[in-house]
Structure formats: structure tokens, C-alpha cells
Amino acid sequence: MYFIANWKMFGSLNSLNSLNKVIKFFKIFKKNKFLKIVYCPPTTLLGPMAEIFKKTKIDIGAQNCHEQDSYGAFTGSVNSKMLKNIGAKYVIIGHSENRQRGENDKLINQKIKSASRSGLKVIFCIGETLNEKRKKITKKVLNRQLRLGLSKIKSKNKIIIAYEPVWSIGTGLIPNASDLYETINFIKKKIRKIKVLYGGSVNPKNIDYLKTINNLDGYLIGSASQNSKKFIDIIKKRYS
Ligand code: PGA
């Protein structure tokens, strides 16, 4: 079961102090064999975080990468090879906040290929907007995102899907259990043996509800993951 922390554009060197709590918790947590914690901080904190987690089983990941894995004149960009070099094992690709800023399925596909070539595991985000949900075209949208995003990618064993309905990100809203179960099933039927996570407003309060959806392989957690206590609470409650 994955618990992936997405810090987005938050966090300073000071924010790293509270990670000791998470390290301690993970060491003594009896069910730690069954869980994988991955922190995806902003790029500026990848190096310092790699140092902090060096002797632990907690992994780090980036929140995006350039579509080209060789070096080049791309001011402001970071490629998958550079991320791997600094100690990242994962990268989030296709997050709706980046899709909304213009990343399309084709670019996302190039990024996934580039990350895979560099040996990173990809957390590939898909999800429908509120408008698409209202129009009842969720499956059609997910189908397109999966088909184009994973086009010409034969080996999918380093890819994890994060289903994040756009309307649930940062809103406090979550899908109802039967809809979510059905959507996760739909994704798993499309892509055999793939791990599927849920993301969108996961917090210590709604995890009791979310854990009843038993086809999920974990969670991608945004705002609640910036608070170590809340993040730990989510994990504890998931296993209680
Ligand atoms: P949230 O973000 O938990 O703050 O809703 C989740 C995400 O965007 O990955």
C-alpha cells in the first residue's frame, strides 16, 4: 500500500524538521512491511530530503520532469536523469494542476517515456473535471488519458496510476464509495496488474471511509501530507 506525499509548491528547509516524526513512526510501526512511503517535495528540497531519508526505507520522488532525458538548453527545466541522480525514485506525471497549465496527453506520454528510460517509477495522474463528471463522461475521459498517456509503452510494471478527480483536489470532497470502487475497477481492467491509488482531499477524517474501498493500492496525499502528524494519522487509521 502506497502513501505518497505531494507537497506541491510548499515547503522550506524548516519544513523538513518534522520529518523525524515520520521516520520514527515508520521504524516502530508494526505493519511497516506492508506500506511504502514516498515524499514528493518541490525540486528545491529533493537533495536535502534525500539526505534525511538516506538510511531509511522512505523514498523520494519529484513532482514533474522535462520530456527530454538528455541534457539541453531548456532554462528552468529539470530532466528525469537529473532527478534520478539526486536520489529520486519516483516522479509524478500528468497532475491535473499541470494539465490545467497546458500539459496535454502527448506531452505527458513523452514525459512518462523519458522517466522510464531514466529508471524512475512513474506516478501517472488521471482524473475527470467536475464538468466532465456532470456530463457523465468520466470513463471516456479516463480512457483517453490512459490510452494516449501510455501509448507505445510496453512494460507498465514501473507505472502506478493515481486516480484524482479534479473536483476533489483541495476541495474536501471525495467520491462516494461505490463510484470510486467502480472507477478503480475500470482502470484495473484496462491495464492489467497495475497499481491504482486514489488522490483528492485525503485526510485523517475521511480515511476511515476511504479504507472501505478495497481495490485501492494506496493514496496520493496533498495538503494533509505537509503536516507530519496528519500524515502519520492517515497511515495509522488506514491500518486500524
Ligand atoms: P489534496 O491534493 O490532497 O490537497 O486534495 C492531492 C493532489 O493534488 O495530489
Side-chain angles (χ1 to χ4, degrees), residues 46-96:
L46 278 171
M49 241 192 214
E51 198 55 36
I52 288 174
F53 289 138
K54 201 163 62 186
K55 293 196 178 102
T56 74
K57 293 212 163 92
I58 297 173
D59 285 333
I60 58 166
Q63 297 174 12
N64 206 349
C65 67
H66 192 270
E67 63 274 24
Q68 176 177 310
D69 47 305
S70 54
Y71 293 123
F74 297 100
T75 305
S77 298
V78 172
N79 70 20
S80 50
K81 189 158 79 178
M82 296 153 118
L83 296 171
K84 173 89 177 170
N85 181 254
I86 204 164
K89 291 216 172 117
Y90 294 77
V91 59
I92 297 172
I93 294 177
H95 194 284
S96 63

Side-chain angles (χ1 to χ4, degrees), residues 180-185 188 196 212-217:
L180 187 49
Y181 182 89
E182 196 190 313
T183 308
I184 301 300
N185 229 6
K188 289 194 169 185
V196 187
T212 63
I213 299 144
N214 60 17
N215 56 357
L216 282 174
D217 300 297

